[in-house]
Amino acid sequence: FTDRRQCETLLEEYLSCLLELSRSDWLDSLAHLTYPIRYMRYRDGVDVDFHPFDDMIHEILKTLVERGKALELNTSGYRQIGAPLPFPYILQMYRDLGGELITVGTDAHEPKHMDDGLTQAAALLEQLDFRYVTMYKDRQPQQMKLEELL
């Protein structure tokens, strides 16, 4: 990624695809909402922000809530950029819209990263008034108390 304009165009396309996906029956939990930022901003140093896309993000999250779909909190961000993915304000937006289904992933490509960020994730979710983490069995959500995550 080389410049802000290029990144903003790609982010708009990416979020449009996620909105379309959120309206489908092809997912139970939407992951990697902020994935491009990890590379645009943190790897390549392009000063790009998600806030200009808050309306699109709001629509995606609203669709997830209306369709009873989960949002993933990915803890790999703690390890890679020092922040959870998606960013806390997006998790709060989801919660404010009535979202309750949160899955947690670590993107552990190595066994040593299996539990990276789980303590921070649990604390953040509790702070945002989530009480459960969601897991799926046969595409059916199973709620687990937040404290059981650890």
Side-chain angles (χ1 to χ4, degrees):
F1 302 102
T2 57
D3 64 65
R4 186 178 186 153
R5 186 177 193 149
Q6 173 203 35
C7 290
E8 289 173 346
T9 299
L10 292 172
L11 282 173
E12 186 169 358
E13 290 175 21
Y14 179 75
L15 292 171
S16 292
C17 289
L18 289 185
L19 179 56
E20 185 176 336
L21 180 63
S22 73
R23 293 174 175 155
S24 78
D25 290 326
W26 298 350
L27 78 141
D28 296 314
S29 180
L30 182 69
H32 298 299
L33 179 64
T34 53
Y35 185 77
I37 290 289
R38 181 166 63 184
Y39 296 97
M40 292 172 175
R41 186 189 306 159
Y42 297 97
R43 184 192 68 190
D44 295 345
V46 179
D47 182 25
V48 65
D49 189 9
F50 245 45
H51 286 292
F53 304 98
D54 281 351
D55 289 343
M56 289 181 78
I57 293 167
H58 184 272
E59 189 63 28
I60 292 166
L61 299 176
K62 183 175 130 198
T63 302
L64 292 176
V65 171
E66 289 171 352
R67 296 183 49 76
K69 304 298 181 182
L71 178 65
E72 182 199 53
L73 166 56
N74 193 297
T75 65
S76 69
Y78 287 116
R79 181 175 70 249
Q80 297 170 345
I81 64 170
L85 300 169
F87 306 117
Y89 89 92
I90 295 173
L91 294 166
Q92 183 67 64
M93 189 186 302
Y94 176 72
R95 186 70 181 121
D96 291 346
L97 287 165
E100 295 182 359
L101 303 176
I102 289 284
T103 57
V104 177
T106 61
D107 277 356
H109 295 227
E110 300 175 44
K112 68 181 180 182
H113 296 301
M114 288 293 291
D115 64 350
D116 282 3
L118 292 181
T119 302
Q120 296 104 309
L124 174 62
L125 291 172
E126 185 175 46
Q127 176 186 344
L128 297 175
D129 202 29
F130 288 95
R131 296 291 171 245
Y132 299 93
V133 210
T134 306
M135 294 186 294
Y136 284 84
K137 181 175 182 174
D138 299 322
R139 298 199 72 196
Q140 297 302 309
Q142 310 292 312
Q143 297 291 74
M144 179 176 76
K145 289 183 181 179
L146 192 54
E147 56 268 11
E148 295 177 39
L149 179 64
L150 302 174

